[in-house]
Amino acid sequence: MTDHDHDHHADHGSDLSETQLRVRALETILTEKGYVDPATLDAIVETYETKIGPRNGALVIARAWSDPAFKQALLEDATKAVATLGHVSRVGDHLVAVENTPRRHNMIVCTLCSCYPWEVLGLPPVWYKSAPYRSRAVKDPRGVLAEFEVELPKDTEIRVWDSTAETRFLVLPMRPEGTEGWSEERLADLVTRDSMIGTGLARKPGELAQ
Amino acid sequence: MNGVHDMGGMDGFGKVEAEPNEPPFHAAWEGRVLAMQRAMGHAGAWHIDDSRFAQEALPPQVYLAASYYWRWALAMENNLLARGYVTRAELAAGHALQPAKPVKTRLTLDVVNEGLVRSSFFRPPQASARFKPGDRVRTRNFHPQTHTRLPRYARDKLGVVELLHGCHAYPDSVATGQGDDPQWLYTVVFDSREIWGADADPTLKISIDAFEPYLEAA
C-alpha cells in the first residue's frame, strides 16, 4: 500500500465491492502511467467536501440583497460581479443570475445531464441529477415544487431555465420580509441551496435554527 | 443522439426525493471518480462534451440503472480506451502494462485550485450573430445520431430569443472531433403551450440555451 492509499480505501479489507475495486484499479493505472497524482486527487476531493458549497452562493445573494449596485452588476454579468467578492472562490465564465420577483419565479434544471453552478453551490444533490427532476421540471414545475413544499400563487409566472450549454444559472431569491438592517452574514443564513436552484424559497427569519 | 439521457418531459420516473443533509459523496470512490475526471480533463485527454457523449452512448438500461458517479466511471473508462490512454488488458490487470500516451499537462498540487476553475467556452466568432434579443425563431427538427444539446422536447418549436451569450465552442462539433467550430449562443424562451400543447400550465415558460445552428428565423 502506498502512502496515498489511506483511509478512503484501507478500511474495508476483503469487503471491497466490485465498484470500489474497479475504481481503485483505474486510479492505480492512471497513477502508474503518470496521468494523475493521488495527492492532487485527495486535494480535489477535499476541496469539494470542505471548501466549495452553497455558502459561497448564499454570500453572493446576501450581498445582492444589501447592495443595490452589486445586485445590478450581478444581474448584468454574474461572473464579473462575483469576482469582486474576495470571499468567494473564483468562478469561471458564463454565470448568469436570474431574479425572482412577486410576478416571476425562476427554476433551474439540466434535462440532458447535470449542469449546475458548482463554484457557487458546490456539487449538485442527487435529486438534481435524477430522472424524476430532469424529466418533470420542464413539464410540471408546480408539481415538483409541491414535493419541495413550495406553493406559489396561481398567477405567478414560472420560468424554467434548461441548462443546455455552458451557461450556469443562479437564482436570486426574494429577500424575506422582516430582515431590514440585517448583516450580510445573517442574511446569508436565510439563503438555502434550494432557494438558489429555484426549488425553494429563502427562509423567513422565524425559520432560522436557534 | 435520441438517448434516454434526454429526459425533459418524460413520464413515469416518479417523485423527486430530496435527501436531508446530503453529503457531497455517498462513498469514497465517488470522490475519486470525480477527481480523476477533473484531472484528465485538465490534462486535455478529452473535452467535457466527450464525457457527456460517452455517458449518452452507454446502453439505455445501463444509463438508467447506474448511479451518477458510476456513470462517470463507465464513461471515463470508455474515453480512456477510445483515445488510447489505457488498454483493455490494463483495465483487466489493474496495472499499467505499457508506456503512457503523452498528455498536454498534469494537474498537480501547486496548481490544483487553478485547475478547478471552469475554463472559458468563449471562442472568436466565425461570422456575426444572425439573431438578436426579441427575434422569433424556430428550432430545427433534426435527430443526429451523435451528441447534440438541443433536447427533443424543444425541436421544431417556435420561440423568442431573449439573451445573446456570446460565441462558444459548439458541442455537436467538439464531440465528433471537428474542433471548436464556434457558434453564437442564445437563450430562447418558449411558451409552455408551444411545447406541451393546449392543456399546459399557461403560467409556465421554458428556455433553453441554443447554439445558432439549432435555429432558423421564424
Side-chain angles (χ1 to χ4, degrees):
Chain A
M1 219 162 252
T2 57
D3 60 351
H4 62 267
D5 212 354
H6 47 70
D7 54 0
H8 47 259
H9 306 144
D11 50 353
H12 293 292
S14 58
D15 290 340
L16 288 174
S17 69
E18 195 191 334
T19 302
Q20 289 170 302
L21 287 169
R22 200 153 144 191
V23 172
R24 185 199 268 194
L26 200 54
E27 183 174 339
T28 302
I29 298 164
L30 299 187
T31 304
E32 287 175 356
K33 299 193 93 159
Y35 301 137
V36 303
D37 162 42
T40 306
L41 301 185
D42 291 344
I44 296 171
V45 171
E46 195 198 332
T47 299
Y48 287 112
E49 282 183 332
T50 63
K51 292 185 190 143
I52 302 183
R55 185 75 184 172
N56 287 354
L59 291 166
V60 173
I61 301 303
R63 172 64 63 88
W65 284 346
S66 309
D67 177 348
F70 179 79
K71 176 178 155 185
Q72 189 65 30
L74 183 72
L75 293 172
E76 274 166 21
D77 185 337
T79 299
K80 220 187 264 178
V82 171
T84 64
L85 300 182
H87 53 247
V88 174
S89 61
R90 240 180 81 199
V91 297
D93 287 335
H94 322 306
L95 185 67
V96 175
V98 293
E99 183 185 14
N100 283 351
T101 67
R103 294 183 54 207
R104 185 208 243 191
H105 179 86
N106 296 284
M107 200 167 132
I108 313 304
V109 65
C110 173
T111 62
L112 296 173
C113 51
S114 54
C115 299
Y116 187 78
W118 286 22
E119 289 151 315
V120 281
L121 297 189
L123 298 175
V126 166
W127 62 258
Y128 183 86
K129 306 175 285 193
S130 72
Y133 186 71
R134 286 164 55 190
S135 61
R136 290 175 51 220
V138 285
K139 190 179 181 188
D140 180 25
R142 285 182 192 269
V144 170
L145 286 169
E147 284 158 25
F148 283 88
E149 296 175 357
V150 174
E151 195 184 341
L152 298 171
K154 299 252 178 298
D155 58 348
T156 300
E157 178 191 320
I158 300 193
R159 168 61 178 277
V160 177
W161 301 75
D162 192 354
S163 309
T164 53
E166 296 303 337
T167 327
R168 294 291 175 269
F169 297 98
L170 176 72
V171 174
L172 170 54
M174 286 193 285
R175 178 171 175 164
E177 287 176 13
T179 57
E180 293 73 18
W182 282 34
S183 70
E184 287 179 31
E185 280 289 319
R186 205 164 157 220
L187 285 170
D189 291 340
L190 300 173
V191 184
T192 62
R193 177 196 66 201
D194 292 358
S195 74
M196 295 181 279
I197 302 172
T199 54
L201 307 176
R203 290 189 186 107
K204 296 185 176 74
E207 293 167 358
L208 267 188
Q210 294 308 303
Chain B
M1 62 179 284
N2 289 346
V4 289
H5 70 283
D6 186 355
M7 291 178 168
M10 289 175 79
D11 295 315
F13 285 116
K15 287 177 70 165
V16 180
E17 306 275 2
E19 177 188 341
N21 304 311
E22 184 179 332
F25 302 111
H26 289 78
W29 66 264
E30 294 187 342
R32 306 313 282 180
V33 170
L34 175 141
M36 285 190 274
Q37 173 68 39
R38 295 303 299 250
M40 293 308 288
H42 184 81
W46 53 78
H47 299 278
I48 190 164
D49 297 302
D50 299 317
S51 296
R52 294 193 182 116
F53 190 27
Q55 290 189 44
E56 294 162 8
L58 293 169
Q61 61 275 28
V62 172
Y63 184 100
L64 290 174
S67 70
Y68 181 70
Y69 289 109
W70 187 237
R71 216 155 62 213
W72 278 36
L74 296 173
M76 182 158 54
E77 281 187 355
N78 287 342
N79 268 321
L80 288 164
L81 288 167
R83 288 167 174 72
Y85 291 104
V86 305
T87 64
R88 286 199 183 281
E90 287 175 320
L91 289 180
H95 282 284
L97 301 172
Q98 51 184 56
K101 178 179 168 177
V103 288
K104 193 178 72 186
T105 179
R106 239 164 58 108
L107 190 57
T108 46
L109 263 185
D110 51 320
V111 293
V112 66
N113 289 327
E114 288 301 299
L116 294 183
V117 175
R118 288 181 83 219
S119 51
S120 177
F121 292 83
F122 283 132
R123 299 291 184 274
Q126 309 182 94
S128 48
R130 269 184 74 194
F131 306 110
K132 60 183 185 307
D135 285 355
R136 284 164 57 83
V137 289
R138 180 176 287 279
T139 52
R140 287 192 192 274
N141 180 16
F142 67 15
H143 298 268
Q145 306 239 340
T146 47
H147 182 66
T148 185
R149 298 294 289 181
L150 179 59
R152 255 176 291 179
Y153 75 82
R155 293 180 194 161
D156 198 18
K157 303 294 183 200
L158 272 173
V160 176
V161 171
E162 189 175 86
L163 300 169
L164 171 57
H165 295 293
C167 191
H168 287 222
Y170 182 43
D172 304 46
S173 292
V174 172
T176 44
Q178 299 175 80
D180 284 341
D181 187 18
Q183 302 292 342
W184 294 96
L185 180 68
Y186 307 88
T187 290
V188 176
V189 61
F190 307 93
D191 187 283
S192 64
R193 287 158 293 193
E194 171 70 7
I195 305 264
W196 307 119
D199 296 336
D201 178 350
T203 63
L204 170 61
K205 287 192 165 48
I206 302 144
S207 65
I208 61 167
D209 282 352
F211 295 89
E212 196 169 272
Y214 299 167
L215 305 173
E216 49 200 30

